[in-house]
Amino acid sequence: MGVIIDYSLTFYFAGSIERILAHEFSPTLLFAIRNGIVLPYLALTVVFYYFMGYTILKFLENEEIYPVGVFIILLMSITHVLGGLSWFVLKEAYSNMIFMLSMTSIIIAISVFGYEVLKRE
């Protein structure tokens, strides 16, 4: 849902394709726009996120780090929604905050992976 909300807000608040092409950070979205494949791109992105989230949580189902997996997926979803709202806010500090939330997800995931590797040795 986060991806759907993100791109819906992006297209709504950006106002034009030219503005998205000039200011969007996502190279995959830019590629989709330039090649006229936005709807298939969005559909594949949503399916990919859902499938990967489901698969990861299925693998973590009986592990003690399961709640961390749920937290990371929720944090990524929130980051997407806030990213779509960035077209409304239009402040550099806000965009930097969203970037830091993305980096936080990555840092948590790497840290938990390292913890699991060290714990099993």
Side-chain angles (χ1 to χ4, degrees):
M1 288 304 296
V3 173
I4 294 170
I5 293 168
D6 177 7
Y7 289 126
S8 297
L9 292 174
T10 294
F11 283 98
Y12 181 77
F13 287 126
S16 71
I17 297 297
E18 292 77 24
R19 194 162 175 223
I20 294 172
L21 290 171
H23 301 288
E24 177 61 42
F25 290 115
S26 170
T28 55
L29 178 59
L30 293 174
F31 176 83
I33 291 171
R34 288 187 186 114
N35 292 287
I37 56 170
V38 173
L39 290 179
Y41 163 76
L42 293 178
L44 286 172
T45 302
V46 168
V47 168
F48 174 78
Y49 269 86
Y50 178 81
F51 177 73
M52 293 309 296
Y54 178 83
T55 303
I56 289 167
L57 291 179
K58 195 70 175 159
F59 281 128
L60 295 177
E61 194 170 36
N62 297 317
E63 300 290 331
E64 73 178 81
I65 62 168
Y66 181 85
V68 178
V70 171
F71 177 75
I72 291 170
I73 290 171
L74 288 174
L75 186 57
M76 289 174 58
S77 295
I78 291 167
T79 302
H80 269 285
V81 172
L82 294 174
L85 286 172
S86 70
W87 289 94
F88 176 75
V89 176
L90 298 175
K91 301 284 184 200
E92 185 176 353
Y94 183 84
S95 294
N96 290 337
M97 179 202 67
I98 294 168
F99 177 74
M100 292 310 297
L101 284 175
S102 296
M103 292 299 102
T104 301
S105 297
I106 293 169
I107 290 168
I108 292 169
I110 291 170
S111 299
V112 171
F113 177 75
Y115 166 77
E116 282 296 312
V117 168
L118 292 174
K119 185 176 92 171
R120 294 177 194 251
E121 287 184 5

